[in-house]
């Protein structure tokens, strides 16, 4: 078994809150400098920069989990990841269909840019990507798992846009692959206040919007190799794979 460092919550220039330095090339360069082995690309309600980040990452021996940070109807932020491009495209179509389309005000919220390998702009998204979908958390979780994806409620310790801040509890009916903590709390601190969640697997991520914050915190996986399948096994603590 090998040990891998993973930061599974990173925004690019596609997120309106993402700094303009967060180009795919810059992100991978910083991830490599920070010693990360696995990186999750999670722009708000869009996956359109994922495949380019993955293309650059392969050249640098970094595994990219392709996905998005989805905002549910209840304004809960959740991470969704997919292994295959076909599943990623299906989920992008689902996002485009269900996001509440409000025109983006660049001066208020920032640019939303899809770029190429030379950091040239290929598309600018007109509607505000931080808007919610018209789908509830249970509907989104079901869609993610229909596409064989991973579903992880994001930064659940935060006072806004988390499953606990918005709903007050985590339903047993919700099929969760892991829970994410922000960099502002330790797992022990969180479990001390929320003992009923102790049996869930936890990841911790930077939620980086700026280059310097990539890898501020990370999760550690014990796996045979870097792959989507191995990560699934580690989240379940199966076949000797583990999440620390």
């Amino acid at each position: 078994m090998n040990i891998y460092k993973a930061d599974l919550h990173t925004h690019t220039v596609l997120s309106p809150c993402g700094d303009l330095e967060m180009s795919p090339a810059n992100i991978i360069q910083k991830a490599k400098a920070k010693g990360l082995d696995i990186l999750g690309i999670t722009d708000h309600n869009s996956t359109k920069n994922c495949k380019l980040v993955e293309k650059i990452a392969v050249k640098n021996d970094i595994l990219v989990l392709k996905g998005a940070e989805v905002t549910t109807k209840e304004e809960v932020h959740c991470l969704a990841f997919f292994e295959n491009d076909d599943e990623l495209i299906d989920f992008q179509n689902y996002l485009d269909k269900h996001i509440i389309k409000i025109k983006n005000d660049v001066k208020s919220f920032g640019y939303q840019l899809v770029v190429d390998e030379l950091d040239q702009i290929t598309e600018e998204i007109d509607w505000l990507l931080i808007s919610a979908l018209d789908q509830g958390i249970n509907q989104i979780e079901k869609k993610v798992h229909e596409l064989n994806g991973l579903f992880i409620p994001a930064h659940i310790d935060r006072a806004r846009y988390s499953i606990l801040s918005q709903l007050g509890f985590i339903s047993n009916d919700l099929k969760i692959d892991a829970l994410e903590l922000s960099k502002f709390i330790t797992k022990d601190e969180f479990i001390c206040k929320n003992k009923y969640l102790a049996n869930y697997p936890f990841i911790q991520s930077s939620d980086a919007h700026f280059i310097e914050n990539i890898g501020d915190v990370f999760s550690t996986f014990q796996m045979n190799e870097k792959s989507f399948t191995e990560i699934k096994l580690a989240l379940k603590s199966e076949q000797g794979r583990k999440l620390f």
Side-chain angles (χ1 to χ4, degrees):
M1 292 292 173
N2 301 299
I3 301 299
Y4 300 105
K5 293 168 58 176
D7 185 354
L8 299 183
H9 192 160
T10 309
H11 294 267
T12 79
V13 291
L14 180 52
S15 292
C17 44
D19 189 74
L20 290 178
E21 290 188 10
M22 294 292 276
S23 70
N26 286 343
I27 288 169
I28 294 303
Q29 182 181 32
K30 178 59 70 172
K32 188 172 184 179
K34 286 288 189 80
L36 294 174
D37 303 294
I38 304 167
L39 196 67
I41 298 301
T42 52
D43 284 307
H44 288 288
N45 295 315
S46 184
T47 68
K48 290 190 172 183
N49 273 338
C50 285
K51 287 191 278 187
L52 176 56
V53 180
E54 181 182 49
K55 179 181 178 181
I56 299 170
V58 167
K59 302 173 186 176
N60 290 273
D61 195 29
I62 293 174
L63 172 69
V64 166
L65 290 195
K66 306 184 291 280
E69 181 176 16
V70 186
T71 305
T72 75
K73 183 168 61 177
E74 305 90 350
E75 295 198 331
V76 176
H77 288 186
C78 300
L79 307 180
F81 296 108
F82 304 92
E83 181 175 16
N84 300 319
D85 287 347
D86 287 346
E87 296 162 349
L88 192 72
I89 292 168
D90 283 349
F91 194 67
Q92 181 62 54
N93 291 335
Y94 174 81
L95 293 172
D96 289 343
K97 178 180 178 181
H98 290 288
I99 191 170
I100 299 171
K101 290 185 171 65
I102 300 169
K103 185 172 177 58
N104 182 35
D105 181 346
V106 171
K107 292 183 179 179
S108 298
F109 299 106
Y111 292 98
Q112 302 179 149
L113 306 176
V114 181
V115 297
D116 63 18
E117 202 162 352
L118 299 176
D119 294 346
Q120 299 298 306
I121 298 168
T122 61
E123 183 181 0
E124 183 171 358
I125 307 300
D126 291 330
W127 56 82
L128 184 61
L129 289 174
I130 58 173
S131 299
L133 272 61
D134 63 9
Q135 300 277 283
I137 189 169
N138 292 83
Q139 292 170 295
I140 294 169
E141 176 265 306
K142 182 179 179 181
K143 182 64 177 180
V144 171
H145 285 128
E146 282 178 355
L147 295 172
N148 304 307
L150 293 172
F151 181 81
I152 303 173
H155 42 61
I156 66 168
D157 55 295
R158 279 181 44 178
R160 296 180 65 193
Y161 303 121
S162 73
I163 190 169
L164 295 182
S165 70
Q166 302 307 110
L167 301 181
F169 69 101
I170 296 178
S171 170
N172 291 330
D173 295 334
L174 200 62
K175 296 179 180 179
I176 289 171
D177 295 292
L179 297 171
E180 184 200 46
L181 296 175
S182 76
K183 64 182 179 181
F184 300 107
I185 194 170
T186 68
K187 179 182 175 182
D188 288 344
E189 288 170 338
F190 181 81
I191 292 299
C192 184
K193 299 176 182 177
N194 301 274
K195 292 182 174 62
Y196 75 104
L197 298 175
N199 291 329
Y200 281 94
F202 283 84
I203 64 168
Q204 192 163 28
S205 314
S206 68
D207 192 6
H209 292 71
F210 298 88
I211 284 291
E212 61 267 23
N213 296 128
I214 294 172
D216 275 356
V217 293
F218 53 86
S219 301
T220 304
F221 288 86
Q222 176 180 291
M223 304 182 297
N224 191 46
E225 62 181 7
K226 292 179 289 187
S227 73
F228 196 89
T229 298
E230 289 280 309
I231 288 171
K232 277 190 169 183
L233 290 173
L235 292 176
K236 296 176 181 178
S237 296
E238 292 182 349
Q239 300 179 33
R241 280 71 168 172
K242 296 180 182 178
L243 168 64
F244 296 97

